[in-house]
Amino acid sequence: MAKRTKQPNGAGSVYQRKDGRWEGAAFLEALDGTRTRFRVYGKTWEEANAKLTEALANARKGIPVETTKLGFGDYLTYWLEQIARPKVRPSTYRSYETYVRLYLIPGLGKKQLKKLTAQDIRTWLVKVAKTCQCCLQGHDAKRPKQHKDPTKQQRCCAVEKCCRKVPSPRTVQYLHALVRSALAQAVREDLVLRNVAKNVQLGTVERPEIQALTLDEARQFLRQARKGRFYAVYAVALGVGLRRGEALGLRWDDVDLNNGVLRVRQALQRQKGEGLKLVPLKTQRSRRTIRLPDNLVKVLKERKAEQAAERLAAGSAWHDPHGLVFTTHIGTAIEPENLYRHFRAVCDAAGIRRVRLHDLRHTCATILLAQGVDTRTIMEILGHSTIVLTMNTYAHVMPEHQAKALNRLEEALGGLA
């Protein structure tokens, strides 16, 4: 076949390089609006010409070409610091940083951002789901070979006994969401044309079933908790469905005992290097105003009197710069992990199942559903972003709730038989 080196005017040119490969080149509009020399390569003239023809066709449609040579790993570093850090809560940023450092950069970091494909992402996610992270990251190898405490010496992968510590399906789903979010920003900044992570389909992941307390268990728990100093925290968490951080971050300025109103405005969170801090809530929906039942107003009045006595007893040692409702004996914020340990001890003493502290919030919702409260009202009490989230979270108790409603309908109709 004769050697071809020329194309018609405006079609760029295709020519053979000294190394034997074919190269196609044309001046096209780049993502930043400038005209740049765009190059494609192929083993044959036909392959290079086909790639160049596709690029020219896209250009005629007004689709610019991708020219960035930025590596995906470098882009992720930029995205974390410049996009994610200012936008998300500190705890969310720490989660992003951990997953990017341990998974995304080692797995996809060497790929060029513009050359990353859906196949690359899917192949990587499948590999992650099957790879023991203990082996990959050398967790056990960092421990001493011999230690007086056997639990602290090398084991599992470091002694060639793989523990098969593979990521959960939810972790894999989270990794996919991170890649998709990072690439969405790359599209917005005109670094790539499209978000290839959107084309990756993962299997559905079942939501873990909510481990809420039954009504009898909740009553047993509250009776036992009444004997300790954290009773008011548990009563608020269970009574109006506050998250742990929301309850511990509650200030007296947010509570109107005269009118029985509680406003959820911030949360208490531990931040790396800064200790416990009050932080904004994650979403606007989380900021909510709740009408307190009379019993909770009484509990909070008792808590206020108790705190006044503690302040008097502590004297100059009292330190409470935020005016928190729930504090230690000297006014400082309560360490969330200490509260959780106390919570488990109360569960044991009450003779009920050990659930998470967060499950008091779920218990609030499931009891409300059982009492016939509508989903929209529960959504507003819990501060969910959408009613769909509420319905999906408590889908396992919906059938029973629906059955009761339909039974009432049948009674109203005088029976259907």
Side-chain angles (χ1 to χ4, degrees), residues 107-108 111 115-127 176 179 183 194-202:
L108 295 171
K111 292 279 184 181
K115 293 183 178 180
L116 189 65
T117 66
Q119 185 179 16
D120 292 330
I121 297 170
R122 183 172 53 253
T123 302
W124 167 70
L125 288 171
V126 170
K127 183 178 179 181
H176 179 216
V179 175
L183 289 178
R194 58 198 179 99
N195 186 344
V196 294
K198 287 184 175 181
N199 296 330
V200 178
Q201 299 294 319
L202 296 179

Side-chain angles (χ1 to χ4, degrees), residues 5-22:
T5 59
K6 281 192 172 184
Q7 295 275 77
N9 289 338
S13 58
V14 179
Y15 50 88
Q16 192 169 31
R17 295 158 48 98
K18 291 181 179 179
D19 61 6
R21 290 190 302 163
W22 289 84

Side-chain angles (χ1 to χ4, degrees), residues 9 83 108 144 171 175 220 251 261 273 276 286 289 294 316 354 376 378 409:
N9 289 338
I83 307 302
L108 295 171
T171 295
L175 291 171
Q220 286 176 248
R251 301 172 302 177
V261 172
L276 294 173
S286 295
T289 299
D294 293 341
S316 60
R354 271 194 182 187
R376 178 78 190 188
I378 294 173
L409 172 63

Side-chain angles (χ1 to χ4, degrees), residues 143-154:
R143 299 187 177 100
K145 290 184 178 180
Q146 297 296 328
H147 195 280
K148 59 183 179 181
D149 182 352
T151 63
K152 295 182 180 179
Q153 67 186 32
Q154 286 186 354

Side-chain angles (χ1 to χ4, degrees), residues 352-369:
I352 63 173
R353 292 172 297 135
R354 271 194 182 187
V355 294
R356 301 172 306 163
L357 181 55
H358 189 74
D359 289 321
L360 291 184
R361 172 176 165 86
H362 294 318
T363 301
C364 169
T366 53
I367 292 176
L368 287 174
L369 278 169

